[in-house]
Amino acid sequence: MIIQAICFYLFAAITIASAVMVISARNPVHSVLFLILAFFNAAALFILLGAEFLGMILIVVYLGAVTVLFLFVVMMLDINVAELRQGFLQYLPIGGLIGLILLAELVLVLGSWVITPEAQAVARAPIPPIDEVSNTAALGNVLYTDYIYLFQASGIVLLVAMVGAIVLTLRSREGVRRQSIRTQNLRSREQSVEIKKVQSGSGV
Amino acid sequence: MAELWQGYIWPTIFIVLQIVAVLVPLLLAVAYTTYAERKIIGAMQLRRGPNVVGPFGLLQPIADGVKLLFKETILPAGANRVVFIAAPIITFVLSLVAWAVIPFGEGMVIADINVGILYLFAISSLGVYGIIMAGWASNSKYPFLGALRSAAQMVSYEVSMGFVIITVVVCAGSLNLSEIVEAQRTVWFAIPLLPMFVIFFVSILAETNRTPFDLPEGEAELVAGYFVEYSSMTFALFFLGEYANMLLLSGMTSILFLGGWLPVLGFAPFTWIPGPIWLALKIALVMFVFIWVRATLPRYRYDQLMRLGWKVFLPFSLFWVVLTAGVLIAFDWVPN
């Protein structure tokens, strides 16, 4: 138990410290690198909770794909740090307000568990107890059996968002020569090579 | 006091010993992979390969290692020091930690976790950070271009790799690597899932930046890609990390498709050979194909590489996931 507590405080402390560094680092690339560290430690916290599936998915999705593209974009952009600093105070009230709302919501959720223990029972538990079934299977049961329609609906929302993003950025430019793999593969020797006997001195 | 020894210290010592027992052979294997690569490519190109240091040149990798160790580490003036140093360390560490979940035989695994395959996938998808950090921190054009190419390439091929893994997991009915191997007792997954096996192999070539997808280090355009500015031990860490990664992905191929530690045929002369040796043989076979491909194929063009990943592999593997799931449901073969 002691080791678990030590690990928890270690990971939690690193998560919070790197989260603070994300918004206070001077270099935007360093910010993203600290974000990676924060995600990684959050995944470790999930694993400590026994939710190893969520921890791994956090790493695969956020670190393996999202943050790579994020880092990619931040590296390509020429961000002027001094200019960004000027907006800091301007956005502070809105950011602070959002943070406060989130905090209040968390307090409400956790507080209701403490005040009325019955509320905790409402939070859906996987039907077989957690020590009989791995949490991957438990999650799958809840997600694909109990809430399948909501799951499908969120899938459609994401699909619409993806189509929208593609429509917004897709433009067909004139005068671009694209390679057509099909026509290339269908090309025969007769169409592309011609052998001619050239009389010396006369040209083709 | 006795409880402290029982509960904490002995397990720690035991785990450390297990880690050493995995890492020492692994690093030796990495060193001799470079030797094998030079010898095999030499033979394919009618050359001799290394043959001066030691008998048959067998001490060449050790000589190379010692040479790299004693060279001077050069930090470029414009480099971002911390990230520059951290990048090779991250690459190397990531290529080693993934071995924690690889089962070498029945029960012979450091951490037999429930989500082993996801852990492997997660660690291999983190590998891109070492490269992209190296390219950015060098503050130089060629490494940066190499890193961008590599990041785009690794992210693209990871998607189809994910679908291949899903197919295997659906067939095996578990995310645990030992159980995936056990599920192949009747038939190796390479046979019913042959197209996925091919896609997986091509994807791991792209994932490890090997020929024909070695554009991130294309020497003709980018000098050496993301590690142009690295020297001595920092370079060696990249090199070791890259080869350890190749071995890791070969191991993953063996476990997912070639039956891991299981013998080729389940009767007497084959079952006498212990599991770890079977796994090593299968890894060696996949590594040989890696090297064979390098000696044989020319480099892909970058747009064709992207086309292959997104327009060929992704739709095909998606289709195959649906097909496999459909077949399993239709014939009631779903593993519980």
Side-chain angles (χ1 to χ4, degrees):
Chain A
M1 279 326 276
I2 295 173
I3 297 217
Q4 273 194 349
I6 293 172
C7 286
F8 171 77
Y9 285 112
L10 182 73
F11 292 137
I14 297 176
T15 311
I16 292 175
S18 48
V20 170
M21 287 306 288
V22 171
I23 52 171
S24 61
R26 286 183 165 266
N27 192 323
V29 174
H30 288 175
S31 286
V32 181
L33 292 178
F34 277 115
L35 186 68
I36 293 165
L37 191 62
F39 275 138
F40 202 79
N41 282 286
L45 286 177
F46 268 125
I47 293 168
L48 272 186
L49 279 175
E52 71 262 14
F53 181 76
L54 281 182
M56 291 302 158
I57 288 294
L58 185 73
I59 295 183
V60 170
V61 174
Y62 280 92
L63 290 183
V66 176
T67 325
V68 172
L69 298 179
F70 207 57
L71 191 62
F72 208 94
V73 172
V74 169
M75 278 179 182
M76 302 285 273
L77 293 178
D78 186 23
I79 297 176
N80 190 341
V81 184
E83 238 170 60
L84 280 179
R85 290 276 144 195
Q86 286 174 350
F88 186 71
L89 279 180
Q90 189 187 339
Y91 292 115
L92 189 61
I94 303 173
L97 190 68
I98 294 173
L100 271 180
I101 292 173
L102 281 178
L103 184 68
E105 282 177 349
L106 274 180
V107 168
L108 275 178
V109 169
L110 296 178
S112 65
W113 285 3
V114 176
I115 296 163
T116 53
E118 304 92 68
Q120 202 162 9
V122 180
R124 184 122 201 164
I127 312 293
I130 201 77
D131 48 323
E132 277 173 31
V133 63
S134 73
N135 68 55
T136 314
L139 264 178
N141 268 336
V142 173
L143 207 56
Y144 300 122
T145 312
D146 300 339
Y147 293 107
I148 179 69
Y149 294 112
L150 291 176
F151 178 78
Q152 294 279 5
S154 57
I156 289 175
V157 171
L158 285 176
L159 180 69
V160 170
M162 196 172 86
V163 172
I166 293 172
V167 167
L168 283 177
T169 50
L170 187 72
R171 58 200 167 105
S172 53
R173 279 185 295 173
E174 294 289 316
V176 180
R177 290 173 62 196
R178 281 192 198 286
Q179 181 182 26
S180 163
I181 302 283
R182 191 173 158 274
T183 44
Q184 266 190 354
N185 284 341
L186 287 176
R187 228 155 62 129
S188 63
R189 183 187 163 84
E190 287 72 35
Q191 286 170 312
S192 38
V193 185
E194 194 180 351
I195 298 175
K196 284 193 172 177
K197 276 242 184 301
V198 182
Q199 286 284 316
S200 58
S202 66
V204 184
Chain B
M1 198 61 203
E3 194 203 353
L4 185 73
W5 276 91
Q6 279 292 315
Y8 296 109
I9 296 176
W10 283 124
T12 313
I13 294 174
F14 186 58
I15 291 171
V16 169
L17 284 180
Q18 278 180 316
I19 293 172
V20 170
V22 171
L23 287 194
V24 170
L26 171 65
L27 290 176
L28 269 179
V30 167
Y32 278 92
T33 304
T34 62
Y35 172 78
E37 176 165 39
R38 291 169 68 180
K39 272 290 191 196
I40 293 170
I41 293 185
M44 286 178 179
Q45 296 171 345
L46 302 181
R47 296 183 283 113
R48 278 181 193 277
N51 64 345
V52 177
V53 190
F56 308 107
L58 272 173
L59 297 177
Q60 184 71 45
I62 294 159
D64 287 344
V66 172
K67 181 197 79 175
L68 282 169
L69 200 63
F70 282 105
K71 280 197 165 182
E72 184 192 354
T73 306
I74 298 165
L75 285 175
N80 191 315
R81 272 165 182 260
V82 179
V83 183
F84 188 81
I85 300 284
I89 297 175
I90 288 178
T91 306
F92 186 62
V93 168
L94 284 176
S95 67
L96 295 187
V97 290
W99 288 88
V101 295
I102 298 277
F104 294 94
E106 210 162 342
M108 291 173 70
V109 50
I110 298 179
D112 194 19
I113 58 176
N114 274 335
V115 288
I117 185 73
L118 276 179
Y119 174 82
L120 272 187
F121 191 55
I123 295 296
S124 77
S125 69
L126 288 180
V128 67
Y129 284 113
I131 291 171
I132 204 169
M133 280 164 73
W136 178 77
S138 299
N139 199 6
S140 156
K141 289 186 191 67
Y142 293 130
F144 190 58
L145 288 172
L148 290 184
R149 280 185 179 186
S150 166
Q153 176 178 329
M154 287 171 98
V155 170
S156 311
Y157 278 82
E158 229 148 58
V159 186
S160 49
M161 256 176 84
F163 280 122
V164 175
I165 289 175
I166 287 175
T167 333
V168 172
V169 167
V170 164
C171 289
S174 172
L175 293 171
N176 181 306
L177 288 171
S178 304
E179 283 173 32
I180 290 176
V181 173
E182 281 300 328
Q184 299 179 59
R185 269 219 192 265
T186 43
V187 61
W188 292 357
F189 286 147
I191 297 164
L193 300 174
L194 184 65
M196 293 319 250
F197 177 51
V198 174
I199 286 187
F200 189 77
F201 184 73
V202 178
S203 298
I204 63 173
L205 286 179
E207 189 77 6
T208 48
N209 298 327
R210 290 285 295 184
T211 340
F213 307 114
D214 58 344
L215 292 123
E217 47 201 83
E219 58 280 271
E221 315 129 61
L222 296 180
V223 192
Y226 54 87
F227 50 65
V228 174
E229 305 288 347
Y230 283 88
S231 57
S232 79
M233 213 48 210
T234 50
F235 170 76
L237 284 183
F238 268 123
F239 200 73
L240 290 174
E242 195 171 307
Y243 278 79
N245 244 333
M246 277 160 58
L247 283 173
L248 172 74
L249 288 172
S250 309
M252 209 163 146
T253 317
S254 323
I255 286 167
L256 292 182
F257 290 103
L258 301 177
W261 72 79
L262 298 175
V264 178
L265 295 167
F267 47 80
F270 298 105
T271 44
W272 291 342
I273 302 171
I277 295 188
W278 274 118
L279 185 67
L281 283 176
K282 287 167 186 172
I283 291 178
L285 179 75
V286 182
M287 283 304 298
F288 175 76
V289 183
F290 258 87
I291 295 165
W292 185 12
V293 164
R294 178 172 170 195
T296 311
L297 295 177
R299 191 174 292 144
Y300 249 61
R301 213 174 64 197
Y302 199 73
D303 60 325
Q304 288 178 342
L305 168 95
M306 284 294 160
R307 178 182 166 274
L308 185 71
W310 288 107
K311 292 189 176 173
V312 180
F313 281 2
L314 183 58
F316 187 78
S317 50
L318 194 54
F319 165 74
W320 207 266
V321 170
V322 176
L323 184 76
T324 312
V327 166
L328 287 179
I329 293 282
F331 291 94
D332 204 22
W333 287 341
V334 184
N336 37 8

